[in-house]
Amino acid sequence: MTTGRLRLEPGDWDDVTAIGQHGRLMFDFVANHISQHSAWFQAYRRGEAPYRDFFIEADPAADLSQVVRPRALPLLTPVTGETRPQPALAPAVVTRHVWTTFSADQIDLNYANPQVLLEMTDVLLHYVAHGAEIIRLDAIAYLWKTIGAPCIHLPQTHAVVKLWRAVLDAVAPGVLLITETNVPHADNISYFGAPLAGTAATDEAQMVYNFSLAPLTLHALQTGDAGRLSHWAATLKPPAPGAAFFNFIASHDGIGVLPARGILGDAEVQGLVARTLAHGGRASVKANPDGSTSVYELNITLYDFLNDPAAPDAHLDAPRFLASQAILLSLAGVPGIYAHSLFGSRNCHDCFAETGRARSLNRRKFDRPALEAILADPARHERRVFDGLRRLLRLRRAEPAFHPAADQQVHDLGPAVFAVLRTPPGAGRPVLCLVNVSSQPQTIPAPRAIPGLHCAGAIHDLIEETAPGAERGAAAIELAAYQARWLVASLD
């Protein structure tokens, strides 16, 4: 494959090790399913042991109506294979229906077969042996299947996560598990597990994807009202010691709206859908038990959701986007930033036309020389986004108040302002994070009365490197449209 002047060749484990010398490695452990082109599934089709019991077969006439569907696609996929009625006879061609939660190419594994569990645990440890420090459990909520059950969040699934956590604690205690469960918040945080006997730590994942953050951040910036976001953030309970939320608002997948159910109303969710479609995106749907469908995720780049591609605003588009990143970076937990968010990528309609998959809108491939030329142009929004986000990251890294275990208190400073106070667990100064989610300037009272801020003197803004209301005793703080401020007490 070629891209620009570069030719890309398949890598090997030595290349992975080399990458790990420059940072911590997160491996994606696709535990629920496997490609139909894999050696395991091809051996299954030939009827070879032990693989003929590695996958789940079901009768299309069975009542599968209770199964929770993340896609509006058939749950069962017919495949042809071989069988030998008697050892001496030639194989006969048969059709079987296998379980495919996500698509016909992704065949679900049968964890009711202990051999599957052992083989997949071996894969997990293989990743650890090659440098994995964080392991992402992809689509883990759907792992166990029982006909007549919803087949999501089943006790057996949690038991498997507990097993893998126990294995890693025994042989690689520094390796962390992170669960990817695009579901409502209460179900999502269940994958932290229960407290381990005699400790404050929990027995499942050390991190969970904080899926509700994305649709709530989008809603706040769409409406200019952070009320829903602030109320939700105020209800977040700190995870157990050693655990943290994995905060993100964009990824290689779409922006899930299911995690906003129960927090946003139906009309508010539909508002997100309407904005997506108006800005050139798509809305993917899932099948419901009653045969209807409902929106599952928004397929659009974060930049194009927030900013209208048909009416670019050179003054507000980049600040609006950076406001979303400031919200992400202000919250307690570990932030995850999608590569396209580094540059404010726009929808790739050519990618969508090529694949026919809505997610391709948000998966443009980079041509390095072309990207470097774009980032060298100070007039481009990509350069402004890149510079602004790098600055936020540098500032965040230097402040103990942004440690994942630092305390978080959400404050009500008006509907247009998202306000959270971060207080470090040990030495270090508190930081009051303010983000104006609206297109109108906001004036708020000087936050000296907020408990824990300790700013009887002047206030300093880390982002702008200024003192808003620099004079001692200033009565108010000004926030321009979509401006973010990280405020600390100035040193006398």
Side-chain angles (χ1 to χ4, degrees), residues 48 92 295 329 331 348:
E48 297 175 8
V295 174
L329 296 174
L331 287 169
C348 184

Side-chain angles (χ1 to χ4, degrees), residues 1-23:
M1 179 174 64
T2 60
T3 174
R5 297 191 299 269
L6 302 178
R7 180 173 179 82
L8 303 180
E9 300 291 349
D12 56 25
W13 286 112
D14 289 339
D15 295 306
V16 173
T17 300
I19 295 171
Q21 294 174 355
H22 302 284

Side-chain angles (χ1 to χ4, degrees), residues 299-319:
N299 302 117
I300 188 170
T301 67
L302 180 61
Y303 191 89
D304 272 0
F305 177 91
L306 295 173
N307 303 306
D308 187 353
D313 188 323
H315 299 291
L316 291 183
D317 285 359

Side-chain angles (χ1 to χ4, degrees), residues 108-190:
D108 288 47
L109 290 161
N110 177 21
Y111 279 86
N113 178 355
Q115 187 65 32
V116 170
L117 179 58
L118 289 173
E119 291 287 349
M120 294 303 285
T121 302
D122 187 63
V123 173
L124 180 78
L125 294 175
H126 185 75
Y127 289 166
V128 173
H130 284 91
E133 295 188 49
I134 305 172
I135 296 178
R136 174 186 184 270
L137 301 182
D138 176 79
I140 192 66
Y142 301 93
L143 195 73
W144 197 277
K145 284 79 178 177
T146 300
I147 293 178
C151 300
I152 186 172
H153 315 309
L154 294 184
Q156 297 93 330
T157 294
H158 284 281
V160 172
V161 179
K162 293 176 193 290
L163 171 65
W164 285 337
R165 170 66 182 276
V167 169
L168 292 177
D169 283 350
V171 302
V175 176
L176 307 178
L177 289 177
I178 175 171
T179 51
E180 188 251 352
T181 52
N182 189 357
V183 295
H185 187 71
D187 294 319
N188 188 30
I189 62 175
S190 71

Side-chain angles (χ1 to χ4, degrees), residues 21-256:
Q21 294 174 355
H22 302 284
R24 303 178 68 185
L25 295 179
M26 179 192 289
F27 282 48
D28 190 10
F29 183 30
V30 184
N32 178 74
H33 48 264
I34 194 169
S35 170
Q36 68 163 320
H37 303 291
S38 65
W40 286 9
F41 190 65
Q42 294 307 309
Y44 160 83
R45 295 183 65 180
R46 294 190 296 270
E48 297 175 8
Y51 303 104
R52 59 190 175 209
D53 298 318
F54 270 37
F55 303 94
I56 303 167
E57 299 176 7
D59 184 345
D63 183 3
L64 301 173
S65 61
Q66 296 304 309
V67 176
V68 172
R69 302 292 295 116
R71 300 284 187 273
L73 296 170
L75 177 61
L76 302 181
T77 297
V79 296
T80 58
E82 297 179 355
T83 185
R84 291 179 184 269
Q86 296 180 21
L89 298 180
V93 177
V94 296
T95 297
R96 302 182 179 94
H97 290 81
V98 294
W99 200 291
T100 51
T101 296
F102 293 97
S103 73
D105 179 58
Q106 298 173 315
I107 317 297
D108 288 47
L109 290 161
N110 177 21
Y111 279 86
N113 178 355
Q115 187 65 32
V116 170
L117 179 58
L118 289 173
E119 291 287 349
M120 294 303 285
T121 302
D122 187 63
V123 173
L124 180 78
L125 294 175
H126 185 75
Y127 289 166
V128 173
H130 284 91
E133 295 188 49
I134 305 172
I135 296 178
R136 174 186 184 270
L137 301 182
D138 176 79
I140 192 66
Y142 301 93
L143 195 73
W144 197 277
K145 284 79 178 177
T146 300
I147 293 178
C151 300
I152 186 172
H153 315 309
L154 294 184
Q156 297 93 330
T157 294
H158 284 281
V160 172
V161 179
K162 293 176 193 290
L163 171 65
W164 285 337
R165 170 66 182 276
V167 169
L168 292 177
D169 283 350
V171 302
V175 176
L176 307 178
L177 289 177
I178 175 171
T179 51
E180 188 251 352
T181 52
N182 189 357
V183 295
H185 187 71
D187 294 319
N188 188 30
I189 62 175
S190 71
Y191 287 87
F192 280 127
L196 284 164
T199 74
T202 54
D203 60 357
E204 293 189 42
Q206 290 95 337
M207 288 193 286
V208 301
Y209 273 71
N210 201 355
F211 272 98
S212 298
L213 177 59
L216 294 177
T217 299
L218 268 55
H219 173 265
L221 289 163
Q222 178 185 3
T223 63
D225 187 341
R228 300 284 195 188
L229 172 65
S230 296
H231 177 76
W232 167 80
T235 67
L236 292 178
K237 295 181 180 179
F245 287 108
F246 185 73
N247 296 322
F248 76 107
I249 52 178
S251 76
H252 67 292
D253 290 334
I255 300 164

Side-chain angles (χ1 to χ4, degrees), residues 328-408:
L328 167 67
L329 296 174
S330 297
L331 287 169
V334 176
I337 297 174
Y338 185 38
H340 285 286
S341 291
L342 292 171
F343 321 115
S345 292
R346 313 218 72 140
N347 290 329
C348 184
H349 294 287
D350 289 342
C351 303
F352 174 49
E354 180 181 351
T355 68
R357 294 189 291 269
R359 286 181 171 179
S360 296
L361 285 165
N362 191 26
R363 295 181 178 181
R364 182 189 299 274
K365 303 300 186 293
F366 294 121
D367 177 286
R368 180 170 178 172
L371 179 61
E372 289 175 341
I374 289 172
L375 295 179
D377 184 351
R380 296 289 298 251
H381 84 267
E382 293 92 341
R383 168 68 179 271
R384 295 196 296 274
V385 166
F386 188 56
D387 288 348
L389 188 48
R390 289 177 68 199
R391 174 163 178 74
L392 289 176
L393 289 169
R394 285 196 299 268
L395 292 170
R396 188 184 192 279
R397 185 174 184 177
E399 290 294 325
F402 292 117
H403 187 282
D407 183 63
Q408 172 174 290

